[in-house]
Amino acid sequence: MKNGANYKWNRRDFIRTSLLALAAIPFIQSCTKSIEKFIFKITGTNHILGHRLRTSDFPKPSEIIQENIVIVGGGISGLSAARYLSKNGISDFKLIELEDEVGGNSLASENAYSKYPLGAHYLPMPNLADKELISFLNEENIITHFENENPVFNEAYLCFDPHERLFIKNYWQEGIIPKYSLSESDLLAFEKFDQLISELKTAKGNDDLFAFDIPMRKVSQDDNFTKLDKITLKDWLLENKLNNEHLNIYLNYCCKDDYGIGIDKVSAWAGLHYFCSRKNNNHNVLTWPEGNHFLVKKLSKYSNEKQLNNELVYKIEEKENKVHLSVFDSKNNTSKTIIANKAIVATPQFVTKYLIDERKEFASNFEYAPWLTATVVVKKIPLSEGAPLSWDNVIHNGFGLGYIYNQHQHLHQYKPPFVLTYYAALSENDLLTERRNLFSKSDDYWKNIILSDLEKAHYGITDEIESIEIHKKGHGMISPFPNFIFSEKLKQASKNTKNLYFAHSDLSGISIFEEAFHQGINAAKKLIDDTTLDT
């Protein structure tokens, strides 16, 4: 921040900008001519089957099955719950998942050149106080050992250099905090924001808890901090006289990255949590070609033989001290009733409200940003001035959040073809409208949106594309609008009943791996404790 250079425009900048402006004229023609050669696929969540929940259009159950424990949902929370049960001697459970594989927002795929994520693609360095997560990473050799009580991470999983770059003013600069062509007032705005963040990182409430921390259950409830949830981050910036265009664009990118919504919509508390919750000085990240699906595989080994995939729970009732689950088997087009002693419901609230009648009123405050990702295979990446191809490549003020380079962790980093994954959170309009647009707009519409964004930084890249696969996620992640994180409805939605335990990252209000991981642990631990008391 403080070392940001104050670049000035020169003749080279003018020529470069002029040439790129002229080059943009034939772009649409280029897309039209090139479309025939693309191997173009649209993939996404099984939303058609999921939408049947609204009508409950399922055949009557034809059999009754008895189980001890059922976990509903195979995302990170469900898998984490399964791990905790297994590690505590409980093996008689089943995990039910709508999709043909577990993973939720951390799914992945693979082509001839590389694995690649369809959703979440990295895990930041954990806080040293997060003993459960550190223990898991140590078990899986992601942490190899400890030196002076500090974890040492497997170097193969730490993001290789160069980490990130930003395309701004027609130039790739190192790092994603803008510094190219910034004025003195721009730099001062970044410095002031940095100073405020430094203070808030260590701030504690009157309950001696950090104002911002991970997991959320450790966060201070002091009103001096929780009141920040009542305003937007944009309002907070204005209150602190930080209405700077470049800072706003940068913060907008960061908030969309974690929440799917920008600074004019996200709660100020949530926006600040992005910067203040991590209590270590190691700014590297853990990443793999397949993204967080690497962690899914580590978690799923505890439930591999206990999974019921392609099955949809469509009703959950508590009767006579048991849990009755109505389950649709999509492969056989049949339904069954599972009667369990207890169940962990690890589904997002937009699903849970259809499963349990009493949950509908709690779910009304939960909003989810739709997401679009695209895996683009490129024979060669047109050269651009500045920093080299990095793991994370951001286009300043672009439509999307840029792209990651999936082979970045490979030994032969720069061997073509290149596999890129492009990300975009759709939140310019209200989220319901954006969700409808995601599924109603044509395939070509989204292809051209993505290519036009990439062409800003790589003119001519369209002619180098071998294939493009688009993945649509209608409810990509929980979006913490103001008055949500500390709301009564979120608290009520998190409350367990006698035989039902609820776990999902949206119950934390923040869609990050750590929260989903801890939600699963918390639900499983409470289930075990209650079972012990019952006996």
Side-chain angles (χ1 to χ4, degrees), residues 10 21 32 34 73 85 163 178 190 194 235 285 307 322 394 401 477 521 531 535:
N10 57 34
T32 304
S34 303
L85 292 175
H163 290 190
F190 275 93
D194 196 36
D235 291 334
V285 298
Q307 292 174 17
K322 298 280 188 177
V394 179
L401 300 174
M477 58 170 57
I521 290 175
T531 302
T535 56

Side-chain angles (χ1 to χ4, degrees), residues 345-364:
V345 183
T347 50
Q349 306 320 297
F350 67 85
V351 172
T352 306
K353 69 179 181 181
Y354 292 110
L355 309 184
I356 306 169
D357 291 338
E358 296 80 5
R359 295 279 147 170
K360 285 184 172 64
E361 61 175 301
F362 306 143
S364 61

Side-chain angles (χ1 to χ4, degrees), residues 72 313-318 323-326 343-345 347 352 354-358 500 502:
V72 183
V313 176
Y314 61 88
K315 192 171 186 62
I316 300 175
E317 298 174 286
E318 289 185 273
V323 180
H324 290 240
L325 303 98
S326 300
I344 294 173
V345 183
T347 50
T352 306
Y354 292 110
L355 309 184
I356 306 169
D357 291 338
E358 296 80 5
L500 290 175
F502 297 92

Side-chain angles (χ1 to χ4, degrees), residues 64 66 97 139 179 189 196 229 242 250 270 293 339 365 412 425 435 450 482 519:
I64 297 175
Q66 303 286 335
E97 168 57 36
E139 286 171 19
K179 55 192 176 185
L196 290 170
D229 188 47
L242 283 171
Y250 169 68
H293 196 254
I339 300 177
N365 210 33
H412 303 289
R435 189 152 38 250
I450 294 164
Q519 282 281 334

Side-chain angles (χ1 to χ4, degrees), residues 391-407:
W391 169 70
D392 194 11
N393 306 267
V394 179
I395 300 169
H396 185 66
N397 208 23
F399 175 84
L401 300 174
Y403 63 89
I404 61 165
Y405 173 43
N406 296 306
Q407 293 129 297

Side-chain angles (χ1 to χ4, degrees), residues 35 48-49 51 82 121 132 151 196 242 244 261 321 338 351 365 389 400 411 420 462 464 482 490 496 506 525 531:
I35 187 172
I48 295 174
L49 179 57
H51 283 181
H121 62 279
E132 293 100 333
L196 290 170
L242 283 171
N244 177 272
I261 53 177
N321 203 32
I338 297 179
V351 172
N365 210 33
L389 179 64
L411 292 177
L420 318 176
T462 300
E464 302 298 336
L490 191 149
N496 303 318
D506 65 4
K525 185 177 187 303
T531 302

Side-chain angles (χ1 to χ4, degrees), residues 101-352:
E101 63 176 317
V102 295
N105 283 343
S106 297
L107 287 172
S109 190
E110 185 173 3
N111 58 28
Y113 314 115
S114 177
K115 297 175 182 177
Y116 54 88
L118 300 176
H121 62 279
Y122 71 99
L123 173 66
M125 292 290 99
N127 291 345
L128 294 180
D130 193 345
K131 301 302 182 185
E132 293 100 333
L133 180 55
I134 286 177
S135 176
F136 165 63
L137 297 176
N138 188 31
E139 286 171 19
E140 302 301 338
N141 198 39
I142 296 168
I143 292 173
T144 58
H145 62 286
F146 295 84
E147 292 181 1
N148 299 321
E149 298 185 354
N150 292 317
V152 177
F153 291 87
N154 190 324
E155 290 187 3
Y157 305 144
L158 291 170
C159 184
F160 294 171
D161 288 329
H163 290 190
E164 54 192 16
R165 60 177 182 166
L166 175 71
F167 189 74
I168 181 171
K169 303 292 185 184
N170 304 315
Y171 185 82
W172 284 107
Q173 63 144 76
E174 292 183 12
I176 60 172
I177 296 175
K179 55 192 176 185
Y180 186 72
S181 196
L182 296 193
S183 68
E184 189 64 32
S185 63
D186 295 332
L187 294 172
L188 288 173
F190 275 93
E191 288 179 10
K192 182 178 179 181
F193 178 77
D194 196 36
Q195 180 59 40
L196 290 170
I197 292 302
S198 295
E199 295 169 4
L200 287 171
K201 266 189 175 183
T202 57
K204 289 188 174 183
N206 52 24
D207 48 12
D208 201 35
L209 296 173
F210 282 115
F212 303 93
D213 206 347
I214 297 172
M216 283 287 293
R217 60 181 168 78
K218 295 168 61 178
V219 162
S220 173
Q221 300 299 304
D222 189 331
D223 184 60
N224 287 314
F225 301 112
T226 61
K227 67 182 181 182
L228 293 169
D229 188 47
K230 297 176 181 177
I231 61 173
T232 66
L233 183 58
K234 182 69 179 290
D235 291 334
W236 181 84
L237 291 167
L238 291 172
E239 286 181 6
N240 286 275
K241 298 180 173 54
L242 283 171
N243 188 26
N244 177 272
E245 179 187 8
H246 287 283
L247 179 62
N248 285 354
I249 291 172
Y250 169 68
L251 297 181
N252 216 48
Y253 162 84
C254 294
C255 289
K256 282 189 173 184
D257 186 44
D258 257 21
Y259 309 124
I261 53 177
I263 61 174
D264 59 332
K265 295 179 180 178
V266 75
S267 142
W269 191 95
L272 293 168
H273 181 274
Y274 178 95
F275 297 95
C276 301
S277 57
R278 303 194 181 278
K279 312 297 182 185
N280 56 60
N281 296 319
N282 188 340
H283 300 299
N284 205 339
V285 298
L286 295 163
T287 190
W288 303 270
E290 68 269 45
N292 282 0
H293 196 254
F294 178 88
L295 299 173
V296 167
K297 289 182 290 185
K298 299 295 185 184
L299 289 170
S300 65
K301 65 186 178 185
Y302 296 96
S303 60
N304 279 339
E305 305 303 318
K306 309 173 192 298
Q307 292 174 17
L308 304 176
N309 296 98
N310 295 115
E311 299 197 11
L312 171 66
V313 176
Y314 61 88
K315 192 171 186 62
I316 300 175
E317 298 174 286
E318 289 185 273
K319 297 178 183 178
E320 301 173 347
N321 203 32
K322 298 280 188 177
V323 180
H324 290 240
L325 303 98
S326 300
V327 183
F328 175 66
D329 182 338
S330 64
K331 285 186 176 179
N332 299 308
N333 197 33
T334 59
S335 291
K336 60 191 170 190
T337 297
I338 297 179
I339 300 177
N341 292 321
K342 294 186 182 294
I344 294 173
V345 183
T347 50
Q349 306 320 297
F350 67 85
V351 172
T352 306

